[in-house]
Amino acid sequence: MTLAQTSPSRRAEQDLVKGEFAFTADDFRHLAAMLHADAGIALVEAKANLVYSRLAKRLRKLGLDSFKAYCALVASPAGAEERQNMLAALTTNVTRFFREDHHFGHLKAQVLPNLIARVRQGGRARIWSAGCSSGQEPYSIALTLLSLMPDAGRFDIKILATDIDPNVIAEGRQGYYSAETCTPIANDLLTRWFQATGREGWTVGPELRQLVSFRELNLMGNWPMRGQFDVIFCRNVAIYFEEETQSRIWARFTAQLSPGGSLYIGHSERISGSAADLLSTDGLTTYRLRGAGA
Ligand SMILES: C[S@@+](CC[C@H](N)C(=O)[O-])C[C@H]1O[C@@H](n2cnc3c(N)ncnc32)[C@H](O)[C@@H]1O
């Protein structure tokens, strides 16, 4: 009899993945429910192998012998810190400098010139990289800004970079990247705004660092930011949420955009729900809130 043919109750107790630790469908359901409750991320059972391999390291480290014991730990008050580690282990942090580079071309040609003119006249401008991972996205935004406005640090133009995972926030703050990670950065920008760190890599320089503030923030929770944003990047984050959560998050971003503000989303994401009526698009996953110019 195959796993698919067994009764639901027996199936829940059988191992989903064969390996060092017992990992049943019940264990998977518990972990998926916690990840959904904490981060809005929807995990399907087809991801069982991935969950197993990412968390097996945690079980080994903690000296646990089964996922059942791990589930009990992360569900208990004593396991609050480990629950954070679980979240960090299960989020996907893949990113790159200038990923989906047409967004940066659009930002440079269509959006930043107005914002720069405004801040040069004494106004303010705010940009948010939501789900920023280890910092490559917000630093790419800052580099695009510096390429047009090398003295940006003297004006009231700032980039907020947030993520749920404290480990990637720490990496972004540290601002050290290997030479290979830096290959998408144009050489003139790299040598001007980074500092060579040995032969191995580059560290963000002071002018670049000054433009970006990193904060831990769960998009499912409250957003403490008071002001509105002229530009929001939220790319390759909502793809892990189910449809209803996506619609809710697009509506919240729309409410947080200033009139005429821009929203950039990932290439495989689409705006759904009530936000779709409030945003116009150029068809390249770049949206603008209908209203006055930015
Ligand atoms: C695949 S990375 C995308 C990084 C970057 N935006 C890009 O496109 O290169 C997704 C990021 O979203 C973060 N994330 C997932 N769920 C989140 C949530 N509920 N709140 C905030 N960040 C979240 C993950 O920690 C991860 O760093």
Side-chain angles (χ1 to χ4, degrees):
M1 199 184 265
T2 66
L3 194 57
Q5 291 170 314
T6 52
S7 73
S9 61
R10 283 210 45 215
R11 192 174 168 273
E13 292 159 13
Q14 288 182 351
D15 278 350
L16 261 189
V17 178
K18 297 275 175 230
E20 184 183 350
F21 304 107
F23 183 41
T24 65
D26 252 358
D27 298 332
F28 177 86
R29 256 200 308 280
H30 277 124
L31 293 172
M34 285 187 258
L35 189 66
H36 185 259
D38 290 354
I41 296 172
L43 271 185
V44 291
E45 213 175 270
K47 300 269 182 187
N49 276 305
L50 183 120
V51 172
Y52 181 96
S53 65
R54 289 190 180 178
L55 292 182
K57 297 184 193 102
R58 300 296 318 155
L59 270 74
R60 251 174 248 128
K61 186 154 190 195
L62 294 162
L64 298 175
D65 62 0
S66 70
F67 273 85
K68 196 179 177 74
Y70 187 76
C71 288
L73 172 69
V74 288
S76 72
E81 195 181 325
E82 182 52 31
R83 189 147 166 169
Q84 189 62 46
N85 291 329
M86 175 186 92
L87 208 71
L90 294 179
T91 49
T92 298
N93 306 121
V94 175
T95 188
R96 297 191 287 289
F97 282 108
F98 294 98
R99 182 182 197 179
E100 299 179 41
D101 63 355
H102 60 273
H103 284 157
F104 299 94
H106 184 277
L107 181 72
K108 186 171 181 173
Q110 311 289 332
V111 177
L112 286 178
N114 283 342
L115 297 184
I116 290 171
R118 189 205 296 166
V119 298
R120 283 206 189 280
Q121 285 162 15
R124 79 201 278 275
R126 292 290 179 270
I127 301 173
W128 180 14
S129 166
C132 64
S133 190
S134 37
Q136 287 89 328
E137 180 177 279
Y139 286 131
S140 300
I141 298 169
L143 288 165
T144 306
L145 172 62
L146 286 168
S147 71
L148 290 177
M149 191 189 199
D151 56 347
R154 291 178 36 221
F155 295 88
D156 194 3
I157 182 162
K158 304 261 176 291
I159 299 155
L160 172 69
T162 65
D163 201 283
I164 195 173
D165 180 349
N167 300 326
V168 292
I169 287 297
E171 285 179 45
R173 278 201 188 115
Q174 188 187 29
Y176 168 78
Y177 300 98
S178 70
E180 193 189 343
T181 302
C182 292
T183 48
I185 305 173
N187 207 43
D188 58 326
L189 293 178
L190 185 63
T191 52
R192 181 156 184 196
W193 304 113
F194 287 76
Q195 294 166 345
T197 307
R199 287 196 181 172
E200 311 296 325
W202 297 83
T203 303
V204 296
E207 300 93 340
L208 183 54
R209 188 179 291 278
Q210 186 195 340
L211 292 173
V212 184
S213 303
F214 286 92
R215 300 273 180 278
E216 208 179 306
L217 180 80
N218 182 352
L219 289 171
M220 295 301 116
N222 290 327
W223 298 353
M225 301 83 83
R226 273 163 301 165
Q228 289 188 302
F229 291 88
D230 302 292
V231 178
I232 298 175
F233 275 66
C234 185
R235 309 181 311 156
N236 310 300
V237 179
I239 191 173
Y240 299 104
F241 304 155
E242 65 211 348
E243 178 83 23
E244 195 189 320
T245 311
Q246 289 187 15
S247 299
R248 207 164 355 107
I249 212 86
W250 302 138
R252 290 183 77 188
F253 282 134
T254 305
Q256 201 80 35
L257 273 179
S258 48
S262 298
L263 172 65
Y264 296 91
I265 68 173
H267 69 281
S268 49
E269 295 161 336
R270 291 290 167 269
I271 298 291
S272 53
S274 60
D277 297 331
L278 302 172
L279 297 163
S280 54
T281 177
D282 64 1
L284 283 173
T285 55
T286 302
Y287 293 82
R288 211 177 263 263
L289 186 62
R290 296 178 205 275

